Amino acid sequence: MVRTIAKDYDDKRRHILTVAAEVFAREGIARASMNEVARACGISKANIYHYYSSKDDIIFDILDRYLSELRDLILGIDLAGLSPQEQLHALTRGFLLAYEGMDNEHKIQGEGLPLLSSEKQDVLKGYQRELVGLVSDVLQSCAPDKLSLDKTRHRNVTMSVFGMLNWFYMWNPNATETARIDYAASVADLTLNGLNGK
């Protein structure tokens, strides 16, 4: 007889992902066991396997949910009618506001992604490429004369924007919304001033 899916199946999976992300971020993915995840979720190890067949499946779903939602949010920012400089400000602000409350998911990206199969990595890297591509395109519009003929510099500037955003995020997890907005503006201004040689 086929086991029916409970009405709250999706809610329970989401709960498992949230709790597992916390466990993985605290203990490290390699050290955290399925027993620990199940215990933290308040369910048995046997029960957790009803929702996820392996740790890798949990890792993938955590990162897939996080990165796909981040991608949708950032690509959904309305940039129409904004100058390229205003677009960069809107994007840096959007990233830092979107990062709020996602400490665990953000923290385990580096450790978790290489543990997955190449097929699953490709899906997650696809989200990342879309985000990097959007910022890269906006930077290109901000300084076409400086970046169009220098692909290395273009990539360096693009990744430096993400480096600054991630630095703030990692070291200021409890920052207020105002602090996030202020720092996002600083990232945009520093980048734009650097591109313009100021």
Side-chain angles (χ1 to χ4, degrees):
M1 182 176 177
V2 178
R3 185 173 182 176
T4 58
I5 297 177
K7 292 180 180 179
D8 61 350
Y9 181 83
D10 290 337
D11 290 338
K12 287 185 176 178
R13 279 173 64 97
R14 181 170 282 268
H15 174 68
I16 290 169
L17 296 180
T18 300
V19 174
E22 182 180 346
V23 172
F24 292 156
R26 184 182 65 244
E27 303 294 334
I29 294 173
R31 290 187 298 277
S33 66
M34 290 290 273
N35 273 330
E36 287 180 88
V37 173
R39 189 163 48 249
C41 288
I43 60 178
S44 68
K45 183 178 179 181
N47 193 248
I48 206 168
Y49 281 113
H50 174 60
Y51 297 94
Y52 285 100
S53 61
S54 69
K55 187 193 288 189
D56 283 1
D57 286 343
I58 295 177
I59 295 167
F60 175 75
D61 268 12
I62 290 171
L63 296 180
D64 183 64
R65 181 181 73 169
Y66 169 56
L67 290 171
S68 65
E69 290 179 357
L70 178 63
R71 185 272 315 270
D72 291 347
L73 193 154
I74 298 300
L75 269 64
I77 295 174
D78 186 5
L79 302 179
L82 300 180
S83 69
Q85 294 75 18
E86 291 169 333
Q87 291 178 6
L88 183 61
H89 274 272
L91 291 178
T92 56
R93 182 169 60 249
F95 272 106
L96 279 186
L97 292 178
Y99 284 167
E100 186 172 9
M102 304 304 291
D103 292 7
N104 296 323
E105 291 81 355
H106 196 77
K107 184 176 181 180
I108 65 175
Q109 268 188 96
E111 181 186 0
L113 203 150
L115 299 176
L116 301 173
S117 68
S118 59
E119 292 80 10
K120 289 182 176 179
Q121 287 189 44
D122 285 345
V123 172
L124 301 178
K125 289 177 180 178
Y127 301 139
Q128 295 173 331
R129 280 192 295 271
E130 288 184 76
L131 292 168
V132 170
L134 176 59
V135 173
S136 178
D137 289 346
V138 168
L139 288 169
Q140 168 76 21
S141 298
C142 288
D145 57 324
K146 302 284 182 69
L147 300 179
S148 60
L149 299 177
D150 191 339
K151 291 183 179 180
T152 299
R153 187 181 189 200
H154 191 174
R155 176 174 173 76
N156 289 346
V157 173
T158 301
M159 300 318 295
S160 292
V161 169
F162 283 99
M164 287 187 282
L165 293 173
N166 289 335
W167 172 85
F168 183 84
Y169 174 75
M170 293 302 292
W171 292 99
N172 299 275
N174 299 315
T176 64
E177 180 176 312
T178 299
R180 291 170 186 272
I181 292 172
D182 287 347
Y183 184 75
S186 295
V187 171
D189 287 339
L190 283 168
T191 304
L192 292 169
N193 290 338
L195 286 172
N196 293 319
K198 295 180 180 177

